[in-house]
Amino acid sequence: MTLNSRHRLLLSAIVTAASAVLIAAPATAQVPASCVKGVDLSTLGPASIIGQGPNGEKAASPDVLALSEAEAAKIKAGNFKVGISMQTVNLDWAQLQIQGITDTLKKYGVTVTGVASAEYQVDKQIADIENTIQQRPHGIISIPVDFTATAPTYKKVSKAGIKLVLMDSIPTGLKHPEEYAAMVSADNLGNGQIAAQVLASCVPQGATIGLVNFGVDYFSTNERTKGVRAWMGKNRPDIKLKQVDFTDPPKVSQIAGDFLTGNPDIKGLYAVWDQPALDTLSSMRAQGINIPMTTVDLGLQSAIEIAKGGPLKATGSQRPYDQGVAEAMVMMNALLGKPTPAWIGVQSLPVVQSNVLESYKTVFKKDPPAELLDACNKAKPACN
């Protein structure tokens, strides 16, 4: 059992013990019949990339990264090596990104020298990148844990003559194309709007919604919550929004639980990605609360919760494997000396109970596992 797991269990036990004494408020929202069913899935979510890059860049499509036969032959003959530095490898999202990168680089004969996992620790990621530079790869693909504290280290990558491709955020002060080839991310603004639209269908007029938000200034998560607020403001101005911020992901259970206890008027929740959503769901269950919730990203556990038809109603999913493919492709473009776009956006994907199995295949590039199929079979015909 990991330290985080023990921490969550301890918090859950504390919340459970406290709720045994304190539960008195109504805990189940009256969910309208329009919940999810009132949303037209054929039009749910933007038809194209609606967000902009961190510096206002227009999104480039991954399609622009294709290599000609001659360019592919140059890559295969180049004996190139690429290192990967992740914020963690303990997420489905991270593992799919790594798989997309390694599958694609292997196809073109590029060697992955190693995958470093910073475990959300700035000092460890700085050391990871320094160590990778010392290994003298031709390129590094990385997601910054903190785009300010790690920026001086990322600047060393280009000074060492190594190409840099970023996921989801750009370290402070780095210039394109001098210091990084491109940043690749999902259309997080679009994913936030998907979460908002489904959640709005699940709450009555004039309801209050809680936003469980990441309190760190981070491009991708900022865009998601911005998308929720923008959609609500334009389409459901009757809904009142309250927000709680967390900065330490392992503390979400406690923070979200306190937020719900202090705001019994909340009739729906949005959580900024799937693990905080699952941790919030644990707190809800410990307090006997049953209100609709939506999020962004799709992991196996969040897919199972959506399949069950419980409080977690929908997610605006990234396509992390496809993002990994795009990161590998832009790296190879950079290794060839080709011009590369500053920001490459990957299309959002709406996931609800009725399309969760198909969506799982789209995101994970494989058939759903037995536990997801079992959850869906028990919820038929709503789940299919």
Side-chain angles (χ1 to χ4, degrees):
M1 183 184 294
T2 65
L3 178 61
N4 288 346
S5 298
R6 290 196 296 270
H7 187 62
R8 280 194 289 272
L9 286 172
L10 177 60
L11 290 172
S12 178
I14 292 170
V15 170
T16 302
S19 62
V21 177
L22 297 176
I23 281 179
T28 301
Q30 296 298 315
V31 178
S34 62
C35 185
V36 184
K37 296 178 182 178
V39 179
D40 182 357
L41 288 184
S42 66
T43 60
L44 177 58
S48 60
I49 305 293
I50 60 171
Q52 295 181 327
N55 299 310
E57 305 95 335
K58 183 179 179 181
S61 167
D63 295 339
V64 306
L65 305 172
L67 299 177
S68 68
E69 290 187 10
E71 291 168 339
K74 286 183 180 179
I75 290 291
K76 291 178 180 177
N79 295 317
F80 291 113
K81 298 178 181 179
V82 172
I84 301 173
S85 170
M86 301 297 294
Q87 87 284 37
T88 179
V89 296
N90 295 318
L91 294 173
D92 291 334
W93 180 91
Q95 293 169 12
L96 285 167
Q97 287 262 2
I98 294 166
Q99 194 66 51
I101 293 169
T102 54
D103 285 353
T104 307
L105 292 179
K106 183 179 180 182
K107 179 180 175 183
Y108 290 89
V110 178
T111 301
V112 174
T113 58
V115 180
S117 178
E119 306 307 330
Y120 298 109
Q121 298 174 33
V122 172
D123 291 345
K124 186 174 186 314
Q125 184 163 54
I126 289 172
D128 288 343
I129 296 170
E130 297 271 11
N131 290 337
T132 305
I133 291 173
Q134 292 302 315
Q135 295 169 9
R136 304 296 302 167
H138 299 90
I140 295 176
I141 300 175
S142 180
I143 176 171
V145 171
D146 179 310
F147 59 70
T148 300
T150 59
T153 305
Y154 279 111
K155 282 179 174 289
K156 295 179 182 178
V157 176
S158 59
K159 289 179 180 176
I162 299 170
K163 301 296 183 183
L164 175 63
V165 172
L166 296 162
M167 309 175 191
D168 269 21
S169 190
I170 299 171
T172 304
L174 263 67
K175 304 296 184 186
H176 176 270
E178 297 89 348
E179 294 176 307
Y180 67 95
M183 189 273 281
V184 181
S185 76
D187 181 16
N188 287 292
L189 193 74
N191 280 328
Q193 292 199 5
I194 290 169
Q197 187 173 353
V198 175
L199 186 56
S201 75
C202 296
V203 298
Q205 284 285 317
T208 297
I209 284 176
L211 310 180
V212 181
N213 182 61
F214 192 38
V216 174
D217 185 17
Y218 205 85
F219 170 70
S220 60
T221 49
N222 288 349
E223 286 286 289
R224 299 171 186 187
T225 303
K226 177 182 171 183
V228 172
R229 287 187 169 277
W231 193 93
M232 292 293 186
K234 180 179 180 181
N235 299 283
R236 287 291 302 271
D238 59 291
I239 292 177
K240 182 180 179 182
L241 303 179
K242 293 184 176 180
Q243 182 169 317
V244 64
D245 291 345
F246 67 90
T247 57
D248 188 1
K251 296 182 179 178
V252 170
S253 293
Q254 180 180 11
I255 292 169
D258 292 345
F259 180 55
L260 288 166
T261 300
N263 296 277
D265 58 327
I266 288 176
K267 303 303 181 187
L269 282 168
Y270 154 81
V272 68
W273 73 86
D274 62 337
Q275 188 57 53
L278 294 170
D279 291 342
T280 300
L281 191 57
S282 294
S283 291
M284 288 167 54
R285 285 171 172 154
Q287 297 188 45
I289 294 174
N290 182 10
I291 57 177
M293 178 167 58
T294 60
T295 188
V296 172
D297 289 348
L298 185 70
L300 174 57
Q301 289 306 313
S302 56
I304 289 172
E305 292 296 338
I306 291 172
K308 289 178 180 176
L312 188 56
K313 301 300 183 185
T315 187
S317 179
Q318 300 190 61
R319 303 171 190 252
Y321 184 93
D322 296 336
Q323 289 169 230
V325 171
E327 288 146 13
M329 292 303 297
V330 75
M331 173 58 75
M332 290 187 286
N333 275 260
L335 292 173
L336 290 169
K338 296 174 64 178
T340 49
W343 179 45
I344 298 159
V346 178
Q347 184 70 30
S348 53
L349 176 68
V351 183
V352 297
Q353 189 181 23
S354 64
N355 73 351
V356 66
L357 295 185
E358 176 186 354
S359 299
Y360 186 93
K361 292 181 182 178
T362 299
V363 172
F364 286 78
K365 309 299 183 187
K366 61 183 181 182
D367 290 334
E371 55 264 54
L372 177 55
L373 290 171
D374 183 59
C376 192
N377 285 334
K378 291 177 179 176
K380 285 185 177 300
C383 184
N384 54 52

